[in-house]
Amino acid sequence: MKVLYVASEALPFMASGGLGDVAGSLPQALRRRLIGCRVVMPLYSTISQELKDKMTFLTSISVPVAWRRQYCGIFEAKANGVIYYLLDNQYYFKRDTIYGHYDDAERFAFFSRAVLEMLPHIDFRPDIIHCNDWQCALTPVYYTTMYAKDPWYQGIKMVFTIHNIQYQGVYGKEIVSDVIGLEGSANILEYDGDINFMKGAIECADKVTTVSPSYAQEILDPWYSHGLDTILKARRWKLQGILNGIDTVSYDPETDENIFANYSAADRSNKKLNKAGLQENMGLPVRPDVPIIGVVSRLVDHKGLDLVKAVLEELLNTTDVQFVVLGSGDWQYENFFKGVADRHHDKMAIRLGFVPSLARKIYAGADLFLMPSKSEPCGLSQMVALRYGTVPIVRETGGLRDSITDSGDGHGNGFTFKSYNAHDMLDAIRRAITAYYNREYWPTLVQRALDCDFSWGKSANEYIKMYNQLLKD
Ligand code: GLC
């Protein structure tokens, strides 16, 4: 079986969030299970020179973008045993940031079309094309409307995975003739008076998946669906949720070079050195006896930060605790956390930005990891935290609900709360802190966290089962 995995970001070349992690690690796991899996992504100018030097130029083609044709260079590189194709066009991909440009619709229409156009020019004819998120949502749409009947392309199955339904690629109708070029079949993309890339993929793909079973249920509900519940309900038969895994080779406290001292599930005595290192690094009092709660997150609404905003000062005023935040995003949260850190400099510290090496120091050095998301398609940080023996406090939603259970029953691996309510969250935090001070119980819980297995094994097998089923149909 041959799978072409299509994503707008994939490690080790580029990641701005969880999609890049998944697109970097799932293909490796599939390959280890003897599935031929290759990855295709844009060749962004911001990819490091060291990685660019390892790419080889295969050929160039010209790709239709509505009424024009654009150059597309095809480069190949091998990383972690997986072959990557990187599609080059400097007009589209020579930018400071990978998303957020006025012409994103055109940039990713180009990419989605180029994925199909390049196939006859490489030595890999996929049985399955697996697309991810709105940036490659037009690939199944182009396939269905323009390529499916061509004898060379016939029979390829299309999988579309939703990593976050909030970002759908919604534009005005004028982009059909100017950018997409599907005038005859625009109805496939129309939704609610707009053009909606994700809706088109949901209609055209043979299978639609999301990154956790709970999220697959949740997005049928308007509270979570950002308007797409009706279309998803009508196509419920092709919807499935498969929980993500994490790259347990990259995220391994035994070998991670970014942390202060290495440790493992078998010998976690060095974890305390990471706690001291983190406290010092963040300018907090170095105290082994106080619980540290870590947050590593984009600072945006759906991560549940309004709950934190509502009760953080109450927590800090009444409790001996340290609170460490790494992230960036909405200025209201950045300002809020900076303000609290100024007022409580011995209890709270924040670092703005996306700093993977510091994130790892927090996973390793904190005692508790807070993720109170309003919605969370999967979430990888809670799994990484467990891998580093740091106990998650999460809201029961999406992948958080599918990976973390409350330890109140004597078996769970974290602390959870259900309603999207600040004091319910605060209650879970207080239970976690009480557990931390229980010197007999706490080591058992930390060990249970370290013993959890969120490697790709089970999930990669589920993907393979799904691919096989599709090829049989
Ligand atoms: C998105 C989701 C996150 C998920 C990740 C990888 O970033 O918001 O929940 O873990 O994609 O699938």
Side-chain angles (χ1 to χ4, degrees):
M1 187 195 318
K2 290 184 186 157
V3 181
L4 182 66
Y5 198 85
V6 188
S8 56
E9 50 182 86
L11 283 173
F13 298 98
M14 184 60 65
S16 74
L19 170 64
D21 274 280
V22 172
S25 52
L26 172 59
Q28 286 183 55
L30 292 171
R31 221 189 64 91
R32 279 196 295 274
R33 286 161 184 76
L34 303 180
I35 300 296
C37 182
R38 299 188 182 184
V39 180
V40 57
M41 64 178 283
L43 177 47
Y44 299 109
S45 57
T46 44
I47 292 175
S48 76
Q49 192 55 44
E50 193 191 334
L51 287 166
K52 280 189 195 149
D53 289 343
K54 292 190 187 132
M55 299 174 190
T56 47
F57 175 74
L58 291 185
T59 185
S60 71
I61 57 173
S62 105
V63 172
V65 179
W67 46 267
R68 47 183 124 28
R69 298 188 76 90
Q70 299 282 28
Y71 163 88
C72 175
I74 307 174
F75 286 74
E76 191 185 280
K78 201 165 184 181
N80 304 315
V82 176
I83 291 181
Y84 290 72
Y85 297 105
L86 295 113
L87 302 187
D88 174 42
N89 176 303
Q90 297 215 347
Y91 170 65
Y92 291 131
F93 300 129
K94 190 177 174 196
R95 310 273 171 109
D96 295 344
T97 53
I98 65 173
Y99 310 130
H101 300 281
Y102 76 95
D103 58 347
D104 277 359
E106 181 177 336
R107 297 168 71 223
F108 291 105
F110 162 79
F111 174 64
S112 301
R113 185 79 186 264
V115 165
L116 294 163
E117 288 285 320
M118 80 161 182
L119 294 179
H121 303 273
I122 57 174
D123 61 345
F124 187 77
R125 186 196 173 278
D127 306 301
I128 308 258
I129 298 184
H130 187 156
C131 300
N132 294 275
D133 276 353
W134 76 267
Q135 292 90 344
C136 14
L138 290 183
T139 302
V141 178
Y142 285 129
Y143 179 80
T144 307
T145 53
M146 303 172 84
Y147 296 78
K149 292 206 173 71
D150 178 314
W152 194 91
Y153 285 89
Q154 227 165 23
I156 300 179
K157 297 290 180 184
M158 294 283 149
V159 177
F160 181 68
T161 295
I162 300 170
H163 293 260
N164 194 335
I165 205 162
Q166 190 176 353
Y167 310 106
Q168 299 172 3
V170 177
Y171 297 96
K173 284 191 178 156
E174 66 283 356
I175 67 156
V176 172
S177 56
D178 195 39
V179 168
I180 300 177
L182 286 174
E183 285 92 333
S185 353
N187 61 317
I188 296 181
L189 291 164
E190 278 171 23
Y191 197 63
D192 233 0
D194 291 315
I195 290 301
N196 186 315
F197 284 27
M198 191 175 268
K199 182 262 185 179
I202 294 169
E203 276 213 22
C204 294
D206 299 291
K207 186 88 195 176
V208 176
T209 74
T210 73
V211 288
S212 69
S214 286
Y215 195 61
Q217 286 299 316
E218 287 171 351
I219 55 178
L220 301 174
D221 182 319
W223 205 76
Y224 288 99
S225 74
H226 292 270
L228 286 179
D229 47 294
T230 328
I231 183 92
L232 281 165
K233 267 196 211 127
R235 284 157 188 76
R236 203 178 181 154
W237 51 272
K238 59 172 161 179
L239 183 64
Q240 184 181 352
I242 301 178
L243 192 70
N244 286 331
I246 54 168
D247 182 339
T248 46
V249 175
S250 165
Y251 292 116
D252 183 354
E254 201 167 357
T255 52
D256 193 333
E257 289 171 2
N258 297 285
I259 65 177
F260 294 102
N262 293 114
Y263 59 98
S264 67
D267 177 5
R268 56 189 157 78
S269 49
N270 274 352
K271 184 162 164 60
K272 57 181 181 296
L273 301 179
N274 286 289
K275 180 168 181 170
L278 178 65
Q279 288 168 321
E280 200 184 325
N281 183 297
M282 298 296 284
L284 292 168
V286 179
R287 286 176 50 197
D289 57 321
V290 61
I292 306 184
I293 302 175
V295 171
V296 176
S297 176
R298 278 185 297 127
L299 303 180
V300 294
D301 272 337
H302 84 94
K303 293 292 180 184
L305 296 165
D306 45 345
L307 302 188
V308 179
K309 200 171 160 185
V311 296
L312 182 57
E313 298 235 32
E314 184 180 338
L315 175 72
L316 298 182
N317 284 331
T318 55
T319 317
D320 190 16
V321 65
Q322 292 180 346
F323 202 88
V324 167
V325 178
L326 169 65
S328 59
D330 288 356
W331 66 268
Q332 59 142 334
Y333 295 122
E334 295 189 357
N335 277 357
F336 165 73
F337 283 122
K338 277 193 281 187
V340 179
D342 284 344
R343 287 190 291 282
H344 300 265
H345 53 267
D346 55 340
K347 288 190 167 178
M348 152 98 206
I350 171 156
R351 205 64 61 77
L352 292 178
F354 175 69
V355 191
S357 57
L358 179 58
R360 287 162 182 261
K361 291 184 175 70
I362 297 178
Y363 293 129
D367 300 291
L368 294 158
F369 191 84
L370 179 62
M371 243 175 127
S373 307
K374 188 181 272 176
S375 70
E376 196 59 73
C378 177
L380 303 173
S381 306
Q382 79 281 14
M383 302 182 192
V384 178
L386 289 170
R387 175 96 175 123
Y388 286 75
T390 297
V391 179
I393 306 169
V394 306
R395 190 173 94 82
E396 290 169 30
T397 184
L400 297 174
R401 178 166 175 269
D402 295 341
S403 56
I404 308 298
T405 53
D406 198 278
S407 53
D409 64 359
H411 301 286
N413 53 6
F415 297 89
T416 72
F417 63 101
K418 212 182 204 99
S419 304
Y420 193 69
N421 174 298
H423 280 90
D424 284 5
M425 177 190 74
L426 188 57
D427 177 60
I429 294 176
R430 291 206 192 286
R431 284 191 294 116
I433 291 175
T434 307
Y436 172 84
Y437 282 117
N438 183 332
R439 290 288 106 192
E440 259 168 62
Y441 175 60
W442 185 249
T444 316
L445 189 53
V446 171
Q447 192 60 43
R448 209 181 293 149
L450 282 164
D451 290 337
C452 286
D453 177 10
F454 284 105
S455 58
W456 270 103
K458 191 165 157 268
S459 306
N461 290 341
E462 273 188 68
Y463 275 107
I464 294 170
K465 211 161 116 194
M466 183 265 288
Y467 295 149
N468 275 324
Q469 189 58 45
L470 271 184
L471 293 178
K472 251 193 257 157
D473 289 347

